[in-house]
Amino acid sequence: MAGPAFRAAAVRVRVPATSANLGPGFDAFGLALGLYDDVVVRVADSGLHVDIAGEGADTLPRDEKHLVVRSLRTAFDLLGGQPRGLEVVCANRIPHGRGLGSSSAAICAGIMAARAVTIGGPAGLDDTALLELATEIEGHPDNVAACLMGGFTVAWTEGGAARAVRMEPAASLVPVVFVPAVPLLTETARGLLPRTVPHVDAAANAGRAALLVEALTRRPELLLPATEDRLHQEYRAPAMPESLALVNRLRAEGVPAVVSGAGPTVLALTDEGAADKVSRLAGDGWAANRLALDAAGASVLPLAGGQ
């Protein structure tokens, strides 16, 4: 049986950073942010060549162990077979190990590029299958759903398969991320979580998560109470005490703030009038970045322009 055919031209995929959990929406909520990695993939005659610029340029592997390459390979297997060779160029802007979805971005870039460079790829790997594959590689759907779909997403698993819905965040929202210099492994943060939690805390989180959907999409004035969490942030404090201290300091000032994903980045959700002031609240040791919301999600773009 003949394998798939591939396009001769290179394809470029742009993938956004994401913030998961958003306080009470543990392992379910995700928000796509206007900070992007670009990956260009071309099918070559033989071999594998990986070039990396930006984040991770000095530390990431340039072989089959690279997460973009591993994701490409997995998607190509589902699409019917591997190309003879690959050239992969990564321009990385999403900080690594900071809770901004860098691994999800790499995964989504790889599988999107594999689909785009394969003739008939969208028919062989539709959007539902993309989410399922990205979740299988990543292990949970919250970040990959937001990365693929953009906007604000709620993800879950049903019958072992990942599912997600996308909603439009309120246009007035301005995310500000406070990124520390030192990374934190997701496995380290997740390992601090208890196997059970008090029923009263679970009930409180369920109510706040429901409220957060309304606050993020229609009533941002409710974001401070809606982002209260009792399930994961305080348990992770030993791994990132400075992050939890900043969250508490911001919230005491009336700023809706949460740990971004597994941390240690802190995400504040503010508006145009307050964003610059909020950006100055963290003090030394934090890189404050005011970002846009991303509405498009992972996208195949023209090769030229628009960096």
Side-chain angles (χ1 to χ4, degrees), residues 218-231:
R218 298 201 301 180
R219 298 180 64 187
E221 69 274 12
L222 294 173
L223 278 168
L224 186 61
T227 49
E228 182 184 344
D229 164 72
R230 297 192 194 178
L231 286 189

Side-chain angles (χ1 to χ4, degrees), residues 7 23 48 90 96 105 145-146 161 184 209 235 249 262 275 280:
R7 302 185 190 283
L48 171 67
C90 304
H96 289 190
L184 175 68
Y235 293 112
R249 189 160 75 249
R280 295 191 292 268

Side-chain angles (χ1 to χ4, degrees), residues 2-60:
F6 302 102
R7 302 185 190 283
V11 299
R12 173 187 173 206
V13 176
R14 170 164 285 187
V15 284
T18 51
S19 182
N21 300 328
L22 308 179
F26 182 65
D27 275 2
F29 289 0
L31 188 67
L33 305 172
L35 179 65
Y36 302 94
D37 286 352
D38 282 282
V39 174
V40 176
V41 174
R42 187 178 77 87
V43 171
D45 291 333
S46 62
L48 171 67
H49 176 78
V50 179
D51 187 28
I52 305 167
E55 295 285 336
D58 297 329
T59 57
L60 293 175

Side-chain angles (χ1 to χ4, degrees), residues 100-293:
L100 288 170
S102 61
S103 64
S104 292
I107 291 165
C108 293
I111 63 177
M112 283 279 291
R115 183 173 79 167
V117 82
T118 303
I119 295 175
L125 195 62
D126 64 15
D127 289 349
T128 298
L130 272 182
L131 176 61
E132 292 176 0
L133 178 58
T135 301
E136 180 182 329
I137 299 171
E138 174 74 332
H140 45 89
D142 47 3
N143 285 99
V144 295
C147 186
L148 288 171
M149 303 169 77
F152 165 50
T153 56
V154 180
W156 71 98
T157 56
E158 185 174 337
R163 298 288 182 263
V165 293
R166 181 195 185 281
M167 286 165 276
E168 200 67 44
S172 62
L173 281 182
V174 177
V176 177
V177 293
F178 300 93
V179 184
V182 180
L184 175 68
L185 292 176
T186 299
E187 292 81 2
T188 300
R190 194 168 282 270
L192 293 170
L193 298 178
R195 294 181 62 86
T196 60
V197 295
H199 188 278
V200 64
D201 289 344
N205 259 54
R208 297 308 169 106
L211 180 62
L212 185 52
V213 174
E214 175 75 3
L216 273 172
T217 57
R218 298 201 301 180
R219 298 180 64 187
E221 69 274 12
L222 294 173
L223 278 168
L224 186 61
T227 49
E228 182 184 344
D229 164 72
R230 297 192 194 178
L231 286 189
H232 66 101
Q233 293 185 155
E234 290 296 333
Y235 293 112
R236 288 168 162 169
M240 46 182 163
E242 295 87 358
S243 298
L244 267 296
L246 177 56
V247 167
N248 292 333
R249 189 160 75 249
L250 289 169
R251 295 183 70 84
E253 294 283 340
V255 179
V258 297
V259 173
S260 181
T265 290
V266 171
L267 169 72
L269 296 169
T270 183
D271 57 31
E272 186 67 33
D276 289 340
K277 178 183 176 182
V278 169
S279 297
R280 295 191 292 268
L281 291 177
D284 295 337
W286 301 88
N289 296 293
R290 172 178 165 170
L291 300 175
L293 296 168

